[in-house]
Amino acid sequence: MGEVDPAFIQAPEHRPNLHAIEAKGIPLIDLSSLSNNNDPSSLEGLVREIGSASKEWGFFQVINHGASIDLRHKIEEVAREFFAQSLEEKNKVRRDGDQVLGYYDTEHTKNVRDWKEVYDFGVEEPVLIPASFDLNDKEVTQWFNKWPQYPPQFRELCQEYAKDMVKLALKLMELIALSLNLPQKRFDEFFKDQTSFLRFNHYPPCPSPHLALGVGRHKDSGGLTILAQDDVGGLEVKRKSDGQWVRVNHTPNAYIINVGDIIQVWSNEAYESVEHRVMVNSERERFSIPFFFNPSHYTMVEPLEELTNEQNPAKYRPYNWGKFVITRKRSNFVKLDVENVQIHHFRV
């Protein structure tokens, strides 16, 4: 990526602070009690921890999560092998405005280019999604994964890893449901024809890490995000208590979890989706693998009835998730003159 092109340069007020505060307060939650069915008190404690972390931070890390560490190491290795190829090879699976899954290296966040390259693939094959962002257009289209020929076993490992992430996500959604005093399986129905996807991120060394960001400030628009990051680190979270950007420490084999905008809406703001961003550095490349757990395209996202009443009325109008996604995707390929659609546009 060479020297910093002006397209990468953040506005002065959004530039990173290279002397980051370490986020000691982000909860580290041990999920091992999930396998101990004979101790209801340990589950109650775990549910309280999840609820508190979701409310106070919108972020937490989990250990003893049950996902395969061996598989995680394999998927991290094939991601490195994929990105190590020539641009010509990677462009064979390049995504575009019609088929939005695959390789890409010119993504924008908040209309500023990110210092990264990515590869996306959908959990469902194909992913069902509205054909256009026109609210009156009922046509549905399909997004297909673009699988590279190299590395070998790439597709097989990706599909296996995706299954692992879905299992973990459903477990976490059950804990979040219980923390909101909802039935344990309350959220399952929304993910039957899920639009979830996984992303491989590669952040090359950047000659001007004080000017550019790997990913600019943003909130995740979906349900839940599960992130595997390497030991280089770089993820920063905007602390709710004082608005400071704080760095999330690397914990070996842990996953970083954050609640997305949809949980903010479903919970009627009991839990809040929090702004975050990714720093780059001048010496080391960074790799990360986020899994975005998203509902079916036909889901109407709105505060759950059980969590609203006269004293706490619904804070959002319903919106269609599929149409929301299609509208958002435009900004990946076109630099917009206005802010892309956000959940605050649906706030009552």
Side-chain angles (χ1 to χ4, degrees):
M1 288 179 172
E3 288 301 313
V4 174
D5 183 288
F8 292 103
I9 296 176
Q10 296 283 330
E13 66 272 23
H14 298 306
R15 287 177 191 167
N17 174 7
L18 299 186
H19 306 289
I21 303 166
E22 300 240 319
K24 293 188 174 65
I26 285 189
L28 181 65
I29 299 177
D30 187 338
L31 298 184
S32 56
S33 58
L34 282 179
S35 54
N36 184 7
N37 298 325
N38 301 321
D39 186 3
S41 64
S42 64
L43 178 61
E44 286 168 17
L46 179 57
V47 167
R48 275 196 304 274
E49 279 189 272
I50 295 279
S52 172
S54 299
K55 187 178 179 61
E56 303 303 323
W57 280 93
F59 270 81
F60 51 95
Q61 295 196 65
V62 293
I63 55 172
N64 297 318
H65 39 67
S68 167
I69 302 302
D70 181 52
L71 181 57
R72 172 167 167 175
H73 292 161
K74 285 178 182 172
I75 206 80
E76 288 171 341
E77 187 53 40
V78 297
R80 287 172 182 272
E81 288 175 24
F82 171 77
F83 287 123
Q85 296 178 103
S86 68
L87 184 58
E88 181 185 13
E89 280 301 310
K90 290 180 283 195
N91 275 338
K92 289 178 181 176
V93 290
R94 192 174 185 84
R95 73 189 200 196
D96 56 41
D98 295 319
Q99 288 295 332
V100 303
L101 300 170
Y103 172 75
Y104 205 58
D105 59 354
T106 55
E107 194 162 84
H108 291 73
T109 303
K110 299 278 193 279
N111 287 328
V112 180
R113 191 171 161 190
D114 295 330
W115 192 271
K116 68 176 181 187
E117 54 180 345
V118 306
Y119 173 83
D120 293 342
F121 67 95
V123 169
E124 298 284 337
E125 292 193 77
V127 178
L128 301 177
I129 206 79
S132 78
F133 51 83
D134 179 350
L135 293 176
N136 298 313
D137 183 359
K138 305 299 181 193
E139 190 181 343
V140 174
T141 189
Q142 299 176 324
W143 288 346
F144 291 92
N145 290 326
K146 293 183 175 180
W147 297 110
Q149 295 298 305
Y150 181 86
Q153 288 189 296
F154 185 91
R155 178 175 184 166
E156 182 187 326
L157 285 169
C158 286
Q159 290 168 330
E160 200 180 338
Y161 185 76
K163 285 180 189 166
D164 233 16
M165 289 300 97
V166 170
K167 271 169 59 180
L168 178 55
L170 286 169
K171 259 198 296 199
L172 291 166
M173 291 302 294
E174 288 180 3
L175 293 168
I176 288 169
L178 291 171
S179 75
L180 291 165
N181 296 314
L182 297 168
Q184 188 167 344
K185 305 279 188 184
R186 178 64 175 92
F187 295 115
D188 284 13
E189 63 183 290
F190 298 116
F191 296 94
K192 281 185 181 136
D193 294 309
Q194 60 186 283
T195 54
S196 306
F197 70 99
L198 273 122
R199 165 168 290 181
F200 295 158
N201 284 317
H202 174 223
Y203 305 93
C206 176
S208 302
H210 59 295
L211 296 178
L213 285 165
V215 184
R217 72 199 191 285
H218 69 286
K219 298 180 179 185
D220 291 348
S221 58
L224 193 75
T225 305
I226 301 176
L227 175 73
Q229 70 165 350
D230 65 13
D231 63 343
V232 176
L235 175 67
E236 290 192 338
V237 174
K238 198 169 192 180
R239 190 162 54 195
K240 285 176 67 175
S241 60
D242 58 6
Q244 285 279 352
W245 286 104
V246 292
R247 179 78 59 92
V248 180
N249 296 329
H250 170 70
T251 304
N253 299 326
Y255 282 104
I256 300 167
I257 315 296
N258 64 286
V259 301
D261 288 348
I262 288 179
I263 288 179
Q264 178 170 321
V265 175
W266 278 340
S267 72
N268 207 31
E269 293 187 356
Y271 300 157
E272 187 182 342
S273 174
V274 170
E275 236 179 6
H276 49 287
R277 67 186 187 183
V278 174
M279 302 268 286
V280 286
N281 66 61
S282 58
E283 293 163 12
R284 294 183 68 189
E285 59 185 344
R286 175 183 185 258
F287 295 88
S288 71
I289 305 174
F291 166 65
F292 300 99
F293 193 44
N294 297 333
S296 60
H297 75 87
Y298 48 79
T299 298
M300 292 301 295
V301 181
E302 58 188 315
L304 298 178
E305 279 183 40
E306 305 97 301
L307 301 178
T308 58
N309 53 42
E310 281 184 27
Q311 291 73 40
N312 184 31
K315 295 181 170 71
Y316 294 89
R317 302 189 312 277
Y319 63 92
N320 174 271
W321 169 244
K323 295 294 184 184
F324 185 92
V325 169
I326 287 294
T327 307
R328 295 266 295 200
K329 285 289 181 190
R330 290 168 64 214
S331 71
N332 289 342
F333 303 97
V334 181
K335 185 168 179 177
L336 305 178
D337 296 325
V338 293
E339 179 186 41
N340 204 346
V341 64
Q342 308 286 342
I343 56 167
H344 68 71
H345 295 135
F346 299 94
R347 210 172 186 288
V348 175

